[in-house]
Amino acid sequence: MENSLQADICVVGGGIAGLLCAYELLQRGRRVILLERGTLSKNETGYTTAHLSDALDDGFSHLLSIHGLDTLRLFYRSHREGIELFESIIKNENIECDFQRVNGYLFSSPDKEASYLGQELDAAKKAGVKGVKLSTDFKESFFEMGPALQFQNQAQIHPLKFINGLIKAIIKKGGLIYENTNAIAFHETPETYVEAEGGFKIKCDSIILATNGPTTANKIYLKQAAYRTYCIALKVRRDSIPHALFWDTSDSYHYMRVTQSLKDSNTDILIVGGEDHRVGEGHPEKAFKNLLTWTQERLGAHISDVATMWSGQLLEPVDGMAFIGKSPGRNHTYIVTGDSGHGFTHSAIASKVIADQIAGSHNEYSGIYDPNRFTPKALKDYVSQNTTTMQHYADWILPHDDIASLLPDEGCVVNDGLKRVAVYKDRDGKLFKMSAVCPHLSGIVKWNSAEKTWDCPCHGSRFDRFGSCLHAPTTHDLQPLGESPGESNDKDRNIRLGL
């Protein structure tokens, strides 16, 4: 990369949101440079289960109660058009990515009132959903599902195949992509440019932050929370499970779909996800165990073997709708965040909304996704979420672990006077010390034993065992205090959906 580059738009983030925004802008004749902190396809998009759905994740009845009917109708229609955009790009660019229109099923859990599905049906119809129906008799039900809502014309996709095809289309249209390029600062005065590590500068007219958790809009973190979600992939007999999307109504949330194995013509892969919890809270080991138990209880003999397991990260806005558009307090910087389980369709929506805003054109969805919005009827959730966040700052004064009890390949936070130190012991017993203070807004990180990472429970930043940044909102590593970091391949974890 040259020390200084010029473009109309600099897109930061090479996941599905950044790639779709880059593609749309190139379609409109703009010069685009895209920066990715790590390697393309090895980011959060690579860990998604790729449900393309307009069956709104936070519930039609809940969204109706806090946003009203007009906004709900727009929200639903935008997601429906998001699926259609994927279908159009796949056709126009001839991308082979296993795209398939399927039905989706929302089935009841014991912890939900029996009337819930009926309320959802009524609200969905008011929103304009066609073909939705409530029944206990669906031919695609391969387990004791009980009452369920069927949503027609949902879709599924192989995310990595689609991304690879989209990257080729971007490059063909003249887009420039730089991997392993960490953007660390975003300037608007006296000129607009992105500053990357190593003294590189990308001059541009507009900046798009598609980093899952943008760093220029701190007050956005008062309106959303970072969650980990867990997935297991199980080998099942080919064609023993129908191709459809399944979601339950439990508070811990579970979702399923099946895809063909790329390695064995006699095998399909059942992908099951859920057991979500806020970053830095909960117990990841228990989450994986609970997910497997939940699956075995429902599918029993259908499960032959666990192929792999992984986790991903999503951001939940307090009012259930993503933040897409101009970053608060900025004139030329745009953000897309708050996917709330609809990362793919929100990204498709963002590509159109932001491109129109940059062009000064009207987009009917700009208002409902405005990052500056405040939703009065979501105030209770707003207060509850931020109370939880503030409680984590008590880690500054609470006692921490004893380094003497630290096992190999584990980490802990210890007190060193007024300092909080994150300590990792490698398999050979060598200690690596770094500041436990997250560079974003000074939360104290916590050790994640299952994934060998440092996670900030305040706003969702994550770091590998040696303190290298893995996930926004921060763009900086944990400050080293002891041994120099060893070789870490945490940023290059195998992509699990290539099964």
Side-chain angles (χ1 to χ4, degrees):
M1 183 189 226
E2 300 175 19
N3 285 343
S4 181
L5 295 173
Q6 184 83 40
D8 296 325
I9 295 97
C10 181
V11 179
V12 181
I16 187 64
L19 291 171
L20 283 174
C21 285
Y23 176 84
E24 177 65 25
L25 288 161
L26 288 163
Q27 287 279 87
R28 301 186 186 202
R30 310 305 290 269
R31 295 176 302 159
V32 179
I33 290 176
L34 183 146
L35 310 180
E36 165 58 35
R37 181 207 305 266
T39 304
L40 289 171
S41 301
K42 294 185 178 181
N43 47 37
E44 288 303 319
T45 297
Y47 299 98
T48 181
T49 57
H51 290 227
L52 274 64
S53 173
D54 57 31
L56 303 179
D57 191 64
D58 286 86
F60 285 90
S61 54
H62 173 67
L63 292 167
L64 177 61
S65 70
I66 62 174
H67 289 290
L69 185 56
D70 290 343
T71 296
L72 178 64
R73 285 174 172 167
L74 286 171
F75 191 40
Y76 163 70
R77 192 164 73 237
S78 68
H79 283 278
R80 186 186 67 201
E81 291 177 4
I83 301 174
E84 293 169 354
L85 179 60
F86 274 94
E87 196 166 21
S88 175
I89 292 173
I90 290 165
K91 179 180 179 181
N92 293 338
E93 301 297 341
N94 195 27
I95 300 175
E96 294 292 336
C97 58
D98 305 334
F99 178 87
Q100 182 181 4
R101 285 283 188 169
V102 295
N103 291 325
Y105 295 93
L106 178 68
F107 60 97
S108 187
S109 300
D111 58 354
K112 280 288 185 183
E113 294 182 4
S115 61
Y116 178 76
L117 290 181
Q119 295 169 3
E120 279 295 281
L121 176 64
D122 182 61
K125 288 182 175 180
K126 288 178 179 178
V129 181
K130 304 296 184 183
V132 61
K133 65 178 180 179
L134 175 61
S135 179
T136 57
D137 183 22
F138 293 111
K139 65 178 182 179
E140 291 171 314
S141 176
F142 62 98
F143 63 101
E144 293 297 325
M145 190 163 63
L149 284 179
Q150 182 193 67
F151 293 87
Q152 299 176 356
N153 285 317
Q154 309 303 292
Q156 65 181 41
I157 196 173
H158 193 294
L160 299 183
K161 289 182 179 180
F162 176 78
I163 287 170
N164 289 335
L166 190 59
I167 291 169
K168 292 177 182 178
I170 289 170
I171 294 173
K172 183 179 179 181
K173 295 177 187 299
L176 299 178
I177 299 175
Y178 294 92
E179 298 178 286
N180 301 306
T181 304
N182 186 25
I184 59 175
F186 314 98
H187 304 270
E188 289 194 348
T189 56
E191 62 180 353
T192 300
Y193 67 95
V194 174
E195 179 184 351
E197 283 182 349
F200 300 111
K201 178 188 291 188
I202 300 88
K203 299 177 182 178
C204 53
D205 298 324
S206 302
I207 301 167
I208 298 175
L209 299 182
T211 57
N212 196 263
T215 60
T216 64
N218 284 335
K219 74 177 185 179
I220 289 294
Y221 293 98
L222 300 176
K223 298 191 285 188
Q224 64 181 8
Y227 280 76
R228 297 303 291 172
T229 186
Y230 297 85
C231 294
I232 55 175
L234 304 118
K235 299 177 183 178
V236 296
R237 190 178 70 256
R238 173 62 57 89
D239 297 327
S240 63
I241 295 178
H243 286 253
L245 309 180
F246 299 89
W247 321 284
D248 77 356
T249 62
S250 70
D251 290 337
S252 56
Y253 192 46
H254 303 92
Y255 45 94
M256 295 185 288
R257 78 172 180 92
V258 70
T259 187
Q260 293 183 355
S261 171
L262 301 180
K263 297 179 180 179
D264 184 353
S265 61
N266 296 316
T267 300
D268 284 338
I269 301 296
L270 177 66
I271 303 168
V272 186
E275 294 295 322
D276 301 5
H277 64 75
R278 277 188 61 149
V279 173
E281 298 181 358
H283 301 281
E285 303 95 332
K286 186 177 180 181
F288 283 120
K289 182 179 179 180
N290 289 346
L291 196 57
L292 182 58
T293 299
W294 182 90
T295 307
Q296 289 174 328
E297 287 175 349
R298 283 153 184 79
L299 308 186
H302 285 287
I303 299 173
S304 60
D305 192 21
V306 176
T308 190
M309 55 185 65
W310 71 95
S311 72
Q313 188 147 317
L314 53 86
L315 288 158
E316 291 280 359
V318 295
D319 66 359
M321 296 171 62
F323 300 104
I324 299 169
K326 192 169 289 185
S327 180
R330 295 288 182 124
N331 295 317
H332 308 293
T333 303
Y334 301 81
I335 62 173
V336 48
T337 186
D339 49 55
S340 186
H342 285 284
F344 269 54
T345 46
H346 270 143
S347 297
I349 296 162
S351 71
K352 295 290 187 179
V353 169
I354 293 176
D356 282 343
Q357 290 181 344
I358 289 174
S361 304
H362 171 72
N363 187 293
E364 65 177 328
Y365 303 127
S366 291
I368 66 172
Y369 291 109
D370 184 3
N372 282 292
R373 73 179 184 271
F374 176 70
T375 308
K377 291 187 177 180
L379 181 60
K380 180 179 178 181
D381 290 332
Y382 176 90
V383 172
S384 174
Q385 175 180 288
N386 284 285
T387 298
T388 299
T389 297
M390 293 307 298
Q391 288 172 346
H392 287 296
Y393 281 101
D395 289 339
W396 271 99
I397 59 175
L398 294 175
H400 287 85
D401 298 323
D402 182 0
I403 196 172
S405 61
L406 188 60
L407 298 174
D409 200 26
E410 292 292 341
C412 67
V413 175
V414 299
N415 298 337
D416 182 8
L418 296 178
K419 294 181 180 179
R420 299 295 176 265
V421 179
V423 183
Y424 168 69
K425 179 186 284 188
D426 70 10
R427 292 183 177 88
D428 297 323
K430 181 185 293 186
L431 296 178
F432 298 87
K433 299 180 181 180
M434 62 216 83
S435 172
V437 181
C438 176
H440 177 231
L441 290 177
S442 299
I444 302 299
V445 298
K446 294 187 177 181
W447 176 249
N448 179 336
S449 183
E451 301 177 275
K452 309 302 179 185
T453 59
W454 300 102
D455 301 349
C456 180
C458 294
H459 303 107
S461 296
R462 302 180 73 236
F463 310 85
D464 72 14
R465 66 197 76 186
F466 301 113
S468 295
C469 182
L470 293 173
H471 198 283
T474 188
T475 60
H476 301 285
D477 300 339
L478 296 178
Q479 180 184 359
L481 300 176
E483 296 281 353
S484 299
E487 290 296 323
S488 173
N489 62 355
D490 290 29
K491 292 184 179 180
D492 295 318
R493 294 174 293 172
N494 291 331
I495 296 300
R496 273 63 167 194
L497 291 188
L499 298 169

